[in-house]
Amino acid sequence: MTSRRDTLRTLAAGVGTLLAPSAFTKENSPTALKDIASLKGLRFGNAMGLLGDERRARRFGDPAYRALMARECNMFVAENETKWQAFEPRPGVFNTAPADELLAWARKESMAIRGHTVMWQSPQWMPAWVNQLDLGAQPGDRAARILAERVKSMCQHLGSDVVSYDVINEAVAPQDGKLIDNVLSKHLGVVGQIDMAFRLTRAQAPNAELVYNDYMGPSKDSGKHRAGVLKLLAELKKRGTPIDSLGLQSHLGIHDSMTGSGGVEVAREWRAFLDEVVGMGYGLVVTELDVSDKGLPADIATRDAATAELARNYLELTLSYPVCRDLLVWGLADHVSWLQDWKDAKRPDGLAQRPTPYDSALRAKPMRAAIADVLRSIPERAPSARATAAPSRQT
């Protein structure tokens, strides 16, 4: 099988095509991205966090960054604070203060709130205490109770104004498209455990959008991943599982290019995938957009132009589907991006990544203009049956 590294080498050899001049529009308008999106029936949001990074001042603790997010966004998701291992680090012992601080600020700024994530399927991202559980003589019953307790504790603590939940995160193995097992699914069945998680969440949050979230992308290397996600969604559809939408994480790179050599095929395959998802009756959510510049030249202007073009082409196609009503980035500014610390995203030249709409000095980049351009060009969305207004500003 071709590795991602091999694919990156191949695409990097043709990066000149990706960097060909394009009609970038300089973003001179002071109009906030949330306001541009609202005109088309979308919300624009961002992830922000306190945990998992000792450089707290670069995220929520930075008033300038908070002000940027308040200006640009009307939707909020916590990066790590409501994930199970952070929210309940020991059985029955909850660490809710970081989430409470974040969500109180988001509510004060009248932002709609997404819940991320009720359950991250892989054992690697589950609490150690869950992985080590002895489920006793009736393991299926015990597994079901643990899952029910997790859903109840998260949903009741976050409150009824959460408009959307990533119920299950990343249940499909990218290398072969098979479902990922864990200590609970070993006794409930993987599909059974996923189905149960959605039903439990629907009971706790009857008005929220329920999302299956995964990082399958347009690249050729993601073919088995996409096929596995489609198979899972079809099986859950047969069961009547209450899933409303597929979350498209949208962590892009040069392997996802829709221009140049192979780009037409990449776009065709991505559209075919989205057509199948929408054809099953599911909505779409862009949940975690960023664009890695690994494999691109060192020159900043060149990199910024290329990442903007990657975002533009991807969003033009993906947001052409009117069932996609929310667009969230995973970091508004370069210095807060998780890609700065992820070893697989490190650039060989040691330079910092530039994967977001704003640079580390909070200056708008071409990607910001590209996002604005696409938001202005897409079809208007009809009101959603589950559309919920952002909470009222608290004083």
Side-chain angles (χ1 to χ4, degrees), residues 97-120:
D100 292 344
E101 185 178 355
L102 290 168
L103 297 183
W105 175 79
R107 290 178 174 115
K108 179 179 71 70
E109 297 294 343
S110 301
M111 294 183 187
I113 294 168
R114 299 199 72 242
H116 175 80
T117 176
V118 176
M119 185 170 182
W120 200 336

Side-chain angles (χ1 to χ4, degrees), residues 377-395:
S377 70
I378 58 174
E380 189 173 344
R381 274 66 176 145
S384 168
R386 289 194 176 274
T388 306
S392 301
R393 181 180 292 273
Q394 298 178 0
T395 57

Side-chain angles (χ1 to χ4, degrees), residues 92-146:
V93 177
F94 296 93
N95 178 30
T96 63
D100 292 344
E101 185 178 355
L102 290 168
L103 297 183
W105 175 79
R107 290 178 174 115
K108 179 179 71 70
E109 297 294 343
S110 301
M111 294 183 187
I113 294 168
R114 299 199 72 242
H116 175 80
T117 176
V118 176
M119 185 170 182
W120 200 336
Q121 185 70 14
S122 172
Q124 179 182 0
W125 304 113
M126 292 177 67
W129 65 266
V130 175
N131 288 329
Q132 295 162 6
L133 279 173
D134 178 357
L135 297 178
Q138 296 180 305
D141 291 345
R142 179 75 174 117
R145 287 199 302 274
I146 291 166

Side-chain angles (χ1 to χ4, degrees), residues 82-326:
T82 55
K83 291 171 182 170
W84 198 354
Q85 67 270 41
F87 194 79
E88 189 181 7
R90 299 192 303 280
V93 177
F94 296 93
N95 178 30
T96 63
D100 292 344
E101 185 178 355
L102 290 168
L103 297 183
W105 175 79
R107 290 178 174 115
K108 179 179 71 70
E109 297 294 343
S110 301
M111 294 183 187
I113 294 168
R114 299 199 72 242
H116 175 80
T117 176
V118 176
M119 185 170 182
W120 200 336
Q121 185 70 14
S122 172
Q124 179 182 0
W125 304 113
M126 292 177 67
W129 65 266
V130 175
N131 288 329
Q132 295 162 6
L133 279 173
D134 178 357
L135 297 178
Q138 296 180 305
D141 291 345
R142 179 75 174 117
R145 287 199 302 274
I146 291 166
L147 183 54
E149 289 163 3
R150 162 58 180 165
V151 172
K152 181 179 179 180
S153 64
M154 180 175 178
C155 291
Q156 291 194 355
H157 189 84
L158 267 59
S160 60
D161 62 350
V162 175
V163 301
S164 179
Y165 276 100
D166 291 331
V167 178
I168 297 290
N169 198 54
E170 300 175 11
V172 176
Q175 65 272 19
D176 56 16
K178 294 181 179 179
L179 295 178
I180 296 172
D181 222 350
N182 59 48
V183 66
L184 303 183
S185 65
K186 287 182 188 302
H187 304 288
L188 300 172
V190 179
V191 177
Q193 172 239 295
I194 293 171
D195 174 78
M196 184 179 294
F198 276 94
R199 293 182 187 277
L200 289 166
T201 307
R202 174 64 82 225
Q204 291 290 331
N207 298 316
E209 174 191 42
L210 304 188
V211 176
Y212 171 72
N213 192 48
D214 212 329
Y215 63 93
M216 66 284 122
S219 76
K220 294 178 182 178
D221 278 355
S222 287
K224 290 182 179 179
H225 197 172
R226 291 192 300 268
V229 169
L230 290 174
K231 183 178 179 182
L232 172 61
L233 291 176
E235 178 60 34
L236 294 171
K237 189 73 177 177
K238 281 192 231 174
R239 289 183 175 229
T241 306
I243 301 179
D244 297 306
S245 299
L246 172 64
L248 310 169
Q249 289 187 15
S250 308
H251 298 298
L252 307 177
I254 60 173
H255 46 285
D256 299 302
S257 173
M258 295 181 184
T259 60
S261 176
V264 173
E265 182 63 23
V266 170
R268 183 184 299 121
E269 290 297 319
W270 186 239
R271 186 176 293 281
F273 171 73
L274 296 180
D275 283 346
E276 288 207 48
V277 173
V278 172
M280 291 186 220
Y282 295 112
L284 302 170
V285 185
V286 176
T287 55
E288 306 181 18
L289 176 69
D290 51 32
V291 186
S292 170
D293 64 21
K294 185 176 180 180
L296 294 172
D299 177 72
I300 286 177
T302 302
R303 278 196 277 162
D304 286 353
T307 54
E309 186 74 354
L310 283 162
R312 180 189 298 273
N313 293 334
Y314 174 82
L315 292 175
E316 281 179 341
L317 195 163
T318 304
L319 296 184
S320 70
Y321 290 81
V323 294
C324 189
R325 303 174 187 277
D326 293 322

